[in-house]
Amino acid sequence: MASAAVIVKLKLDENLSIHLKPPVAALGHDVTTAADEDLLGKADEVVTAEAFREGRMLLTLDVGIADLRRFPPGTHPGIIVFRPRTLGAAGATEFVLAFLRTVSLDECSGCIAVVDPERVRIRRPPAA
């Protein structure tokens, strides 16, 4: 994946630190959090529906949101699930930021991407 400065609308799920918002915004992205919109504790379907209604790619640690049957690629702006080695706030925040600094998010548009320390797996929409 190539590095580029594509501006993307993002929503940070509640399992990512709210302290991630300022550095993500500093990268030039339009970012909101689940906390900004009183979505804390809401079901995945509620959080994803709101993100998708706003045209926002959802960033999360929740592997359940990567379910292709629930959220098929091509039916939403995109989902990126992060799988850092540690789920501590500081480690997860740095893991997400390292990814966002090096990847052009337009490559994940409409896709479900799972990012772990060894690789990035992207499920793309079916070819038309």
Side-chain angles (χ1 to χ4, degrees), residues 9-115:
K9 290 174 67 175
L10 304 172
K11 181 174 300 297
L12 304 178
D13 199 2
E14 70 180 331
N15 51 31
L16 290 169
S17 172
I18 60 171
H19 301 292
L20 186 56
K21 182 179 178 179
V24 172
L27 294 173
H29 297 297
D30 176 346
V31 59
T32 65
T33 70
D36 290 340
E37 299 176 350
D38 295 323
L39 295 172
L40 299 180
K42 302 291 183 184
D44 290 348
E45 286 75 17
V46 173
V47 175
T48 55
E50 187 61 22
F52 301 162
R53 184 189 66 73
E54 297 171 358
R56 294 183 182 279
M57 187 178 292
L58 182 66
L59 279 57
T60 185
L61 298 174
D62 185 347
V63 295
I65 292 179
D67 186 335
L68 300 171
R69 294 164 297 179
R70 288 171 62 201
F71 307 108
T75 64
H76 51 74
I79 297 169
I80 302 177
V81 178
F82 293 94
R83 306 290 300 158
R85 284 194 173 90
T86 176
L87 292 179
T93 295
E94 190 48 47
F95 185 76
V96 171
L97 285 174
F99 177 80
L100 295 177
R101 288 181 187 123
T102 60
V103 173
S104 176
L105 289 178
D106 64 330
E107 295 181 38
C108 299
S109 180
C111 301
I112 294 180
V114 178
V115 180

